Amino acid sequence: MSGNTSGNSLPLETTIKEYRPGLEGVIACRSSISYVDGQEGLLEYRGINIRELAEHSTFEETAYLLLYNHLPSEREFSQFKMLMARLRILPHLIRDAIEEFPVGMHPMLALQSAISLLQADDYYADDISSPQHNLRRAISLMAKLPTLITTFERYRSSEEPLPPSSKYSHAENFLFMLTGEPPHSLAAKVFDRFLILHAEHSMNASTFVARAIASSNASIYSSISGAVGSLSGILHGGANERVLRMLYSIGHPDNVEEFIEEQLATKNRIMGFGHRVYKVKDPRAHILEEYIPDLVDQLGGEEVKTLYQTARRFEEVAAQKMASRNIHPNVDFYSGIVLEALGIPVDLFTAIFSMARVSGWCAHWLEQIDTNRLFRPSQDYIGDHQRAYVPIENR
Amino acid sequence: MSGNTSGNSLPLETTIKEYRPGLEGVIACRSSISYVDGQEGLLEYRGINIRELAEHSTFEETAYLLLYNHLPSEREFSQFKMLMARLRILPHLIRDAIEEFPVGMHPMLALQSAISLLQADDYYADDISSPQHNLRRAISLMAKLPTLITTFERYRSSEEPLPPSSKYSHAENFLFMLTGEPPHSLAAKVFDRFLILHAEHSMNASTFVARAIASSNASIYSSISGAVGSLSGILHGGANERVLRMLYSIGHPDNVEEFIEEQLATKNRIMGFGHRVYKVKDPRAHILEEYIPDLVDQLGGEEVKTLYQTARRFEEVAAQKMASRNIHPNVDFYSGIVLEALGIPVDLFTAIFSMARVSGWCAHWLEQIDTNRLFRPSQDYIGDHQRAYVPIENR
């Protein structure tokens, strides 16, 4: 009858005895947000193939689809974009607090911290009974992430943060607030596709964390802040940054073969290849790589061009050497190259992933509180029992 | 082979088909930290009954036990307490950032935010390969939580934060940094017991979140920050605050019977009664209530005395009316009264719960990274497939 109790709790006998590390194969929720078929290499957002969305949609429209489960009419979309434009602006109090963040900290921890602070602007955040308010909170978070990231980035570079401009799209605004330059049209287009492709991916670790935090009826700020924390881990969101560092450490296409052979011989991980879900090539990787040649050609300097050639050679050699093992490049293999070509600082890569994924997290937060049950799994206790408390003088 | 892939992943066919909302009865980890027997009303930390710890131990010693899996020798304990004393001090950069936190925000969100900021003081936080460094991080977090909470509390009250004093225990330091007064000995003793009793409780929602975030190899700061977010939810850590508000709204022992009858008739929740795990009276409730009469007598004003009488009457009436339903008071029923008698502001109650539980969270974080597997459960997809992308002019 109290908060953490329930009349319909199952007897303890019905514990599922089998322990699945990482809850692999365990159904943690019912969801209608996205669908991944790892055998077919298919990813759908609300039933629509991401290839269609990457070709025809924008990040704003895709975010709308994820939140509302339908594509917007012209009127709905224009209102949504106006609301996003308004909510992109950061309250002064939050900006002042970010100005005091230690400049040496990792941007992902700064983002995690900044998102919790946003609750200050939503005094009744713990009242989640109104679906309208909850949707508005989700839109506000999506709108504000680029502002939070670029505000921290500019403060740590001793530059004044730039306010968003209502004449720019979401993708354009990020590039503008980062650099102060009007965004290049190809850069904005590819970055927008990047955001679409990273917006949502069913039950990954950070989305699961967002739902787990939501399940105690914690506010959207607590939940999304925690999801950012999960994404910051190197086993999750940090992969594209590591691919990039790996490719730079290889340095030239001619060094690829030796590097891969060495990695295989020593059974080291090869970053950016394979995926726990996809058994064929990641469909996001397929789409993203199509945009890279133009991007590298038009925007990349010599370094980025060599990087791209190294990556192409890497894919060729890996295909030969690992073909029998059914391991393919995943989206992280390409996304680091895209962000590098866009001139984004490497330690912001995961924060930018958050900027896309926040739309999926928010959709999951809304779905979770709508059909909520507190996450309280069991443990397999393997410790001692009935140990005595020995007084300190006898230890 | 990349971060989110594994060679030993199970085929998709082996998904556990049965959906358990809230993962109830699903084993999420192997653990040797604490054991709860809800049928017997037993709680052990590292195999030692909490009754023994509440009677003979201190919070510092209990925290040591949780982290190291043994009680400290005199030498170990004196070193541990010296380290705690040193690590209680907040770096200036963090204190300056907290000074800029919006004063109107909820202390739990401020705490969630402040904990992420602590990474600034640990530049290599994402390197979790050294058990020694990881233990030190855990001790640092446990040591700093009271300083973070009281720093925010004093800034929002327009008072200068007070540095910790090495002559005080952990419990005493919190009371001292909150008020600036030398702590009353009974207050410090009961508060210390409160911390012991709330230090750890196996797979509750926030502990599960700490482990889920840890599983992407996110830093201890990201993980504990997320756990605070989970605990902030009203279905988890917010219960004692709500019990207190309920008791104050009842106002007097004479009003209890009518209130309970009304709640039962309208099938409303009765706060502080029942527990998802305990089918008998929560052992922590048993222990905590023993300390209350003295505390109320020596420290409580008239208001607190009436509150306590209302609570006693509440328990009596509830026992009569709900006896057949096997629902008993849980620890939250008493802990709010304890904190109120100690003069702690109501909206700090859950932050104080964090101050205790951080020791359990840190023990789980250490255990998780030691035997890690990324949490990536499955979902039961109930949405559409193959929806077409309709151009906006045709919607």
Side-chain angles (χ1 to χ4, degrees):
Chain A
M1 301 199 62
S2 88
N4 49 3
T5 307
S6 158
N8 59 1
S9 70
L10 297 166
L12 288 176
E13 294 75 33
T14 65
T15 296
I16 295 176
K17 296 287 180 205
E18 187 190 359
Y19 169 48
R20 302 272 190 121
L23 293 176
E24 185 155 0
V26 174
I27 296 172
C29 67
R30 290 217 163 93
S31 181
S32 64
I33 298 168
S34 70
Y35 176 76
V36 184
D37 183 335
Q39 307 290 335
E40 297 293 326
L42 172 72
L43 172 57
E44 292 173 336
Y45 295 168
R46 298 289 191 183
I48 301 180
N49 195 308
I50 51 148
R51 180 166 282 281
E52 293 221 58
L53 292 168
E55 277 172 18
H56 306 298
S57 185
T58 60
F59 176 70
E60 287 92 322
E61 194 186 53
T62 298
Y64 186 101
L65 170 70
L66 287 168
L67 291 187
Y68 290 87
N69 194 20
H70 67 89
L71 290 166
S73 69
E74 288 192 44
R75 188 183 142 83
E76 286 166 334
F77 196 39
S78 113
Q79 286 179 338
F80 182 74
K81 285 192 289 189
M82 258 161 45
L83 188 58
M84 287 277 281
R86 191 136 43 89
L87 293 171
R88 246 175 228 123
I89 299 162
L90 223 50
H92 287 292
L93 280 174
I94 310 292
R95 210 188 59 188
D96 292 349
I98 295 173
E99 188 173 5
E100 290 301 314
F101 280 13
V103 293
M105 72 186 301
H106 193 282
M108 278 300 273
L109 276 289
L111 183 60
Q112 185 175 2
S113 194
I115 291 171
S116 320
L117 288 184
L118 288 179
Q119 184 266 335
D121 197 39
D122 182 1
Y123 190 71
Y124 296 103
D126 63 339
D127 178 358
I128 55 172
S129 58
S130 156
Q132 291 316 309
H133 289 173
N134 292 335
L135 267 165
R136 196 192 160 90
R137 287 164 176 149
I139 298 165
S140 171
L141 265 172
M142 296 189 322
K144 287 192 175 63
L145 251 62
T147 325
L148 292 176
I149 297 166
T150 54
T151 297
F152 176 72
E153 171 61 24
R154 290 185 70 91
Y155 275 133
R156 73 169 175 167
S157 316
S158 303
E159 291 174 308
E160 268 302 296
L162 295 162
S165 164
S166 58
K167 72 179 171 187
Y168 290 134
S169 74
H170 199 66
E172 286 167 339
N173 254 307
F174 174 78
L175 297 171
F176 168 69
M177 289 189 285
L178 186 70
T179 61
E181 310 279 326
H184 184 284
S185 67
L186 179 66
K189 190 184 151 191
V190 177
F191 189 52
D192 189 57
R193 299 297 174 277
F194 174 93
L195 296 178
I196 292 172
L197 293 174
H198 287 79
E200 159 61 13
H201 206 254
S202 78
M203 268 302 96
N204 52 84
S206 55
T207 301
F208 178 53
V209 164
R211 292 189 77 124
I213 298 180
S215 82
S216 67
N217 280 356
S219 74
I220 194 167
Y221 310 100
S222 287
S223 303
I224 304 305
S225 169
V228 167
S230 164
L231 193 71
S232 76
I234 52 171
L235 298 187
H236 189 10
N240 58 6
E241 184 177 331
R242 292 169 88 199
V243 169
L244 197 73
R245 293 191 198 277
M246 176 189 78
L247 292 174
Y248 271 129
S249 81
I250 297 171
H252 194 275
D254 293 348
N255 306 335
V256 165
E257 192 152 354
E258 190 188 346
F259 176 86
I260 292 184
E261 277 173 0
E262 205 179 287
Q263 297 299 303
L264 291 175
T266 53
K267 298 197 179 184
N268 267 341
R269 281 181 173 172
I270 294 181
M271 300 307 303
F273 274 68
H275 194 279
R276 190 142 135 189
V277 175
Y278 292 112
K279 305 307 162 195
V280 297
K281 186 165 173 177
D282 185 333
R284 299 168 299 175
H286 263 305
I287 299 166
L288 205 57
E289 69 174 325
E290 292 164 16
Y291 296 101
I292 296 179
D294 273 359
L295 187 71
V296 168
D297 195 48
Q298 288 189 43
L299 291 171
E302 276 317 304
E303 246 185 31
V304 171
K305 287 189 170 110
T306 308
L307 180 80
Y308 178 53
Q309 283 152 12
T310 308
R312 291 293 302 268
R313 178 74 188 135
F314 198 106
E315 198 177 349
E316 260 173 48
V317 177
Q320 293 158 18
K321 307 256 179 213
M322 305 198 290
S324 63
R325 294 160 60 186
N326 212 22
I327 293 171
H328 306 271
N330 59 45
V331 67
D332 300 319
F333 188 74
Y334 301 103
S335 68
I337 303 168
V338 167
L339 297 179
E340 179 77 356
L342 292 172
I344 291 168
V346 169
D347 70 352
L348 287 189
F349 283 12
T350 317
I352 282 159
F353 187 166
S354 309
M355 210 182 112
R357 185 58 56 85
V358 66
S359 56
W361 291 333
C362 286
H364 280 275
W365 184 81
L366 291 165
E367 193 177 62
Q368 180 66 35
I369 60 168
D370 202 37
T371 57
N372 189 50
R373 172 116 172 101
L374 182 66
F375 277 99
R376 204 197 186 294
S378 295
Q379 64 173 9
D380 179 13
Y381 183 71
I382 53 170
D384 297 322
H385 289 292
Q386 296 184 315
R387 280 166 84 180
Y389 179 87
V390 179
I392 193 159
E393 56 275 19
N394 303 337
R395 285 177 205 154
Chain B
M1 300 199 61
S2 88
N4 49 2
T5 307
S6 157
N8 60 359
S9 70
L10 299 166
L12 288 178
E13 293 75 34
T14 66
T15 296
I16 296 176
K17 296 287 181 206
E18 187 190 358
Y19 168 48
R20 301 270 191 122
L23 293 175
E24 185 155 2
V26 174
I27 296 172
C29 66
R30 289 216 164 93
S31 181
S32 64
I33 299 167
S34 70
Y35 176 75
V36 184
D37 184 334
Q39 306 289 336
E40 297 293 326
L42 172 72
L43 172 58
E44 291 173 337
Y45 294 169
R46 298 289 190 182
I48 301 180
N49 195 309
I50 51 149
R51 180 166 281 280
E52 294 221 56
L53 293 168
E55 277 171 20
H56 305 299
S57 185
T58 59
F59 176 71
E60 287 91 325
E61 194 186 54
T62 298
Y64 186 101
L65 170 70
L66 287 168
L67 291 187
Y68 290 87
N69 195 19
H70 66 90
L71 289 167
S73 69
E74 287 191 45
R75 189 183 141 83
E76 286 167 334
F77 196 39
S78 111
Q79 287 179 339
F80 182 74
K81 285 192 290 190
M82 259 161 46
L83 189 58
M84 286 277 282
R86 191 137 41 89
L87 293 171
R88 245 174 230 124
I89 299 162
L90 223 50
H92 287 291
L93 280 174
I94 309 292
R95 211 188 59 188
D96 293 349
I98 294 173
E99 188 174 4
E100 290 301 314
F101 280 14
V103 293
M105 72 186 302
H106 194 282
M108 279 299 274
L109 276 290
L111 183 59
Q112 184 174 2
S113 193
I115 292 171
S116 321
L117 289 183
L118 288 179
Q119 184 266 335
D121 197 40
D122 181 2
Y123 190 71
Y124 296 102
D126 63 340
D127 178 357
I128 53 172
S129 58
S130 157
Q132 291 316 311
H133 289 174
N134 291 336
L135 267 166
R136 197 192 159 86
R137 287 164 176 150
I139 298 165
S140 171
L141 264 171
M142 295 189 323
K144 285 191 176 66
L145 250 62
T147 326
L148 292 176
I149 296 166
T150 54
T151 298
F152 176 71
E153 171 61 25
R154 289 185 71 89
Y155 276 134
R156 73 169 174 166
S157 317
S158 304
E159 291 174 308
E160 267 303 296
L162 295 162
S165 164
S166 58
K167 70 177 172 186
Y168 291 134
S169 73
H170 199 66
E172 286 166 339
N173 253 308
F174 174 79
L175 296 172
F176 167 69
M177 290 190 285
L178 187 69
T179 62
E181 311 280 326
H184 185 284
S185 66
L186 179 66
K189 191 185 150 192
V190 177
F191 189 52
D192 190 56
R193 298 300 173 277
F194 174 93
L195 295 178
I196 293 172
L197 294 174
H198 287 80
E200 160 61 11
H201 206 254
S202 79
M203 267 304 95
N204 53 85
S206 55
T207 302
F208 178 54
V209 163
R211 292 188 78 123
I213 298 179
S215 81
S216 68
N217 280 356
S219 75
I220 194 169
Y221 311 99
S222 287
S223 302
I224 304 304
S225 169
V228 168
S230 164
L231 194 70
S232 76
I234 51 170
L235 299 187
H236 188 11
N240 58 6
E241 184 177 330
R242 290 168 90 199
V243 169
L244 197 72
R245 293 190 198 277
M246 176 188 77
L247 292 175
Y248 271 129
S249 82
I250 296 171
H252 193 275
D254 294 348
N255 306 334
V256 165
E257 191 153 354
E258 191 189 347
F259 176 85
I260 293 184
E261 277 173 1
E262 203 180 288
Q263 298 300 302
L264 292 175
T266 53
K267 298 196 180 190
N268 267 340
R269 281 182 172 170
I270 293 181
M271 300 308 301
F273 274 68
H275 194 279
R276 189 143 135 189
V277 174
Y278 292 113
K279 305 308 165 197
V280 296
K281 187 164 171 178
D282 185 333
R284 299 168 299 175
H286 263 306
I287 299 166
L288 204 57
E289 69 174 323
E290 292 165 16
Y291 296 101
I292 296 179
D294 273 358
L295 188 70
V296 168
D297 195 47
Q298 287 189 44
L299 291 171
E302 277 314 305
E303 246 186 29
V304 170
K305 287 187 170 114
T306 308
L307 179 80
Y308 178 53
Q309 284 152 12
T310 308
R312 290 292 302 268
R313 178 74 188 136
F314 197 105
E315 199 177 347
E316 261 172 48
V317 177
Q320 293 159 17
K321 309 254 179 217
M322 305 197 292
S324 62
R325 293 159 63 185
N326 213 22
I327 293 171
H328 305 272
N330 58 45
V331 69
D332 301 319
F333 188 74
Y334 301 103
S335 68
I337 302 168
V338 167
L339 297 178
E340 180 76 356
L342 292 172
I344 290 167
V346 169
D347 70 353
L348 287 189
F349 284 10
T350 317
I352 281 159
F353 187 166
S354 309
M355 213 182 110
R357 186 56 57 84
V358 66
S359 55
W361 291 332
C362 286
H364 281 275
W365 183 81
L366 291 165
E367 193 177 63
Q368 180 67 34
I369 61 169
D370 203 38
T371 58
N372 189 50
R373 172 116 172 100
L374 182 66
F375 278 100
R376 203 195 187 294
S378 294
Q379 64 173 8
D380 178 15
Y381 183 70
I382 52 170
D384 297 322
H385 289 292
Q386 296 185 315
R387 279 166 84 180
Y389 179 87
V390 179
I392 194 159
E393 57 274 20
N394 302 339
R395 286 175 205 153

